[in-house]
Amino acid sequence: MILKGKHTSLRALEPVDLDFLFELENNSDIWEISGTITPYSRHVLKKYLDNAHRDIYEVKQLRLAICNESDKVIGFIDLFDFDPKHRRAGIGIVILDRADRNNGHGSEAVSLLCKYAFKVLNLNQVYANVGEDNQVSIQLFKKMGFELAGVKKDWVLVGGKFKNELLFQKFEK
């Protein structure tokens, strides 16, 4: 599956993504947003990639690679907590290298995935959970038409301190 925008494309995960996945999942700088607390081995990540083809209706999640104009993988975008009965799913995005951020790839990736979620999966809404101090993500989701729906107080424990998490929602038009 390939979803293509002007400068960004989304595609299914491939075995060649193992090194990028290993680097991303073991980058402790982003563990706060991913909820990770321990490193992953290449073996575990290879097994994950071997099963990444499984249907979203079965595993309730979908991870796609975000590629730039040169088809280089720069990040991942996920649908998670997929709930076909209530027609909703969470959305998460990470672009690994700071040099690949703030140049439109994130916006285009979110736009492509939202179109897929609403048109193909027939979802009514997608939502994003964002740390209240993550201004870049807050601006991204607001720019993409997500509305602040609430604040989850003291929701995540980071470095011994609790932080609030913001809930953003976007509904099918």
Side-chain angles (χ1 to χ4, degrees):
M1 169 182 64
I2 297 178
L3 302 167
K4 193 152 184 68
K6 195 172 185 178
H7 303 286
T8 309
S9 61
L10 307 180
R11 65 159 174 79
L13 299 182
E14 299 284 350
V16 297
D17 297 328
L18 179 60
D19 289 339
F20 186 86
L21 182 63
F22 181 81
E23 182 181 356
L24 185 132
E25 292 292 353
N26 289 298
N27 182 336
S28 60
D29 292 341
I30 61 170
W31 283 3
E32 180 179 338
I33 62 168
S34 68
T36 303
I37 57 171
T38 58
Y40 285 96
S41 69
R42 286 186 188 278
H43 175 74
V44 166
L45 294 173
K46 183 183 179 312
K47 287 173 78 174
Y48 169 77
L49 285 174
D50 289 344
N51 288 293
H53 67 280
R54 293 174 60 197
D55 188 81
I56 189 171
Y57 287 91
E58 178 186 357
V59 296
K60 308 298 184 216
Q61 64 183 18
L62 171 68
R63 174 171 277 185
L64 298 172
I66 302 170
C67 301
N68 66 12
E69 300 92 334
S70 305
D71 290 326
K72 175 188 169 201
V73 176
I74 60 170
F76 294 121
I77 191 164
D78 302 334
L79 284 177
F80 62 91
D81 291 342
F82 173 67
D83 186 335
K85 179 181 185 226
H86 299 291
R87 296 177 46 209
R88 66 178 176 238
I91 186 171
I93 182 171
V94 62
I95 295 178
L96 182 60
D97 191 338
R98 292 190 189 283
D100 291 318
R101 298 178 190 168
N102 299 314
N103 57 17
H105 291 298
S107 299
E108 199 164 24
V110 170
S111 177
L112 290 167
L113 191 60
C114 285
K115 285 177 189 171
Y116 174 80
F118 294 137
K119 302 289 187 223
V120 177
L121 299 176
N122 195 33
L123 295 184
N124 176 59
Q125 69 170 287
V126 291
Y127 63 89
N129 301 308
V130 180
E132 75 176 351
D133 57 349
N134 187 342
Q135 291 302 314
V136 173
S137 289
I138 290 168
Q139 292 306 313
L140 169 66
F141 286 108
K142 283 183 175 179
K143 174 182 172 185
M144 299 313 301
F146 285 69
E147 296 179 15
L148 180 63
V151 178
K152 296 183 264 182
K153 296 186 183 285
D154 291 342
W155 198 254
V156 292
L157 182 63
V158 179
K161 293 184 177 187
F162 282 98
K163 291 185 175 183
N164 295 343
E165 188 171 83
L166 307 178
L167 172 64
F168 288 91
Q169 292 175 289
K170 180 174 183 158
F171 290 87
E172 180 182 26
K173 292 180 182 174

